Amino acid sequence: MQSVLDIKNLTVRFATADGEVAAVSDVSLSVGKGECLGIVGESGSGKSQTFMAAMGLLARNGRATGEVMFGYMNLLTAKEQTLNTVRGNKLAMIFQDPMTSLTPHMKVGRQLTEVLVRHCGLNAAAARTAAIEMLGRVRIPEAARRFDMYPHELSGGLRQRVMIAMALLCGPELIIADEPTTALDVTVQAQILALIRSTREEFNTSIILITHDLGVVAGLADRVAVMYAGRIVEIGDVDQIFNAPRHPYTKGLLACTPRLDDPATATLATIPGQPPNLQHLPRGCAYHPRCPYVMDRCRVESPKLLPTGAGQNACFLDDLDVRAAS
Ligand code: SF4
């Protein structure tokens, strides 16, 4: 499959009063044309910072090294003006809270038409027509009336649809959706996920779906990367991750995810302990203080992400499996 985004050895460090902290360490992944890649992990696992770095949106004290290829362009070394153009046209981002991305004192319609005029070269009349049409395509009822409303006059679900409409305006090749449904109730969440699914089918857009909730990527993602303490610990096809997870952390996340087809999961487990403080990562495998399978080796050595059949996994248990099989 042709790649749209190729990340190689991405490391993101932040300068803090207590020294440098690595929020993302040596992450490599790619996203294919029309593919949906889910990125899951608890908060602080580095999933958002990986893509904020890729988009050139790190906080001022952040520094990224490695390579983020979008087509022939390395986004980490691109000039700010080039990045602005790419972010408006080919790469779009949808955030958890649309109010952080929509301008509160500007009508929805104007915010949409400005994108079309500035990034897609449309005149005002054509931009108005295209914006209302896009609001209709993301199933906003009475699109022409909503066009003249301010963001605060819309419900949370409608605001998120406006954000998706804005992301789609210039026909992006890749949409990065960061916790796009976290702030919404369950019914609206299902509607927005269905909209993202149909968007991908209709426009053949590649999607990176970042979430703390494995349930959100079920039925939507083709592949899933699981992050812990700034690293990818497992990556694989969605079926493998859900039905035959290898990494103990992936298994722990799944145990915390209710399954609609299994009422027994109504009482959910939680992963014992807390995600590590990135400033004081434990020696060895970062997951070892919480891992039910911890071995002596895990306390001193850090497992590498290695191929395992269809996917990749970073756990010493794989060595035992190989030995048992040989
Ligand atoms: Fe658990 Fe060890 Fe595997 Fe880390 S390497 S996940 S501590 S078994």
Side-chain angles (χ1 to χ4, degrees):
M1 186 188 289
Q2 185 195 344
S3 281
V4 172
L5 188 78
D6 260 311
I7 297 180
K8 287 204 181 80
N9 308 112
L10 178 69
T11 292
V12 179
R13 292 192 178 84
F14 289 93
T16 74
D18 298 323
E20 264 201 348
V21 179
V24 177
S25 299
D26 201 24
V27 163
S28 297
L29 54 81
S30 63
V31 189
K33 175 86 187 135
E35 184 184 34
C36 178
L37 176 68
I39 310 287
V40 298
E42 292 163 293
S43 79
S45 59
K47 53 193 190 309
S48 294
Q49 293 305 336
T50 298
F51 295 96
M52 293 300 268
M55 297 279 282
L57 296 173
L58 281 181
R60 277 169 174 262
N61 63 336
R63 189 168 56 87
T65 56
E67 192 177 270
V68 178
M69 297 304 294
F70 183 62
Y72 294 109
M73 186 189 304
N74 182 357
L75 297 179
L76 291 192
T77 54
K79 291 202 166 71
E80 188 58 32
Q81 196 181 352
T82 312
L83 271 181
N84 277 337
T85 307
V86 171
R87 285 195 296 252
N89 288 318
K90 298 181 172 176
L91 253 176
M93 203 149 180
I94 301 168
F95 295 98
Q96 173 179 340
D97 179 7
M99 287 307 266
T100 58
S101 307
L102 295 173
T103 308
H105 57 267
M106 202 188 277
K107 287 182 178 171
V108 162
R110 185 157 159 230
Q111 299 192 48
L112 294 171
T113 52
E114 276 199 354
V115 173
L116 287 163
V117 170
R118 194 180 323 143
H119 290 289
C120 308
L122 269 59
N123 64 33
R128 180 185 167 86
T129 305
I132 292 173
E133 188 191 317
M134 187 56 82
L135 290 176
R137 284 174 91 166
V138 298
R139 309 201 219 328
I140 291 185
E142 302 178 81
R145 189 168 71 82
R146 313 278 186 190
F147 181 89
D148 284 317
M149 287 183 163
Y150 290 95
H152 71 265
E153 296 179 281
L154 303 176
S155 67
L158 284 183
R159 282 200 292 264
Q160 197 57 290
R161 282 170 194 263
V162 170
M163 273 299 301
I164 294 172
M166 195 178 284
L168 289 171
L169 280 176
C170 296
E173 289 174 35
L174 174 65
I175 294 178
I176 299 172
D178 191 356
E179 303 278 8
T181 59
T182 299
L184 306 171
D185 69 45
V186 177
T187 312
V188 182
Q189 180 173 336
Q191 291 168 354
I192 294 295
L193 291 175
L195 176 59
I196 292 174
R197 188 181 301 118
S198 63
T199 295
R200 177 193 165 203
E201 284 161 8
E202 188 179 347
F203 298 89
N204 198 28
T205 311
S206 307
I207 293 175
I208 292 171
L209 182 60
I210 304 169
T211 175
H212 66 281
D213 181 355
L214 256 175
V216 166
V217 299
L220 197 57
D222 301 296
R223 285 187 303 135
V224 179
V226 181
M227 290 190 71
Y228 188 78
R231 293 179 185 271
I232 294 177
V233 294
E234 183 168 10
I235 185 164
D237 290 347
V238 70
D239 285 346
Q240 180 252 304
I241 293 289
F242 275 85
N243 298 317
R246 298 187 69 94
H247 198 280
Y249 180 59
T250 312
K251 292 178 184 172
L253 282 180
L254 277 168
C256 306
T257 306
R259 292 186 66 135
L260 296 176
D261 57 351
D262 184 0
T265 61
T267 309
L268 289 177
T270 52
I271 301 178
Q274 298 292 323
N277 178 341
L278 294 174
Q279 219 139 17
H280 305 288
L281 279 180
R283 195 172 165 217
C285 172
Y287 190 56
H288 89 251
R290 305 172 78 186
C291 180
Y293 308 97
V294 61
M295 302 171 280
D296 289 346
R297 182 183 182 189
C298 310
R299 296 188 173 90
V300 286
E301 283 180 61
S302 181
K304 289 191 169 59
L305 187 66
L306 297 172
T308 50
Q312 290 175 284
N313 189 35
C315 177
F316 294 130
L317 290 172
D318 280 343
D319 291 356
L320 300 182
D321 290 350
V322 169
R323 266 183 244 151
S326 59

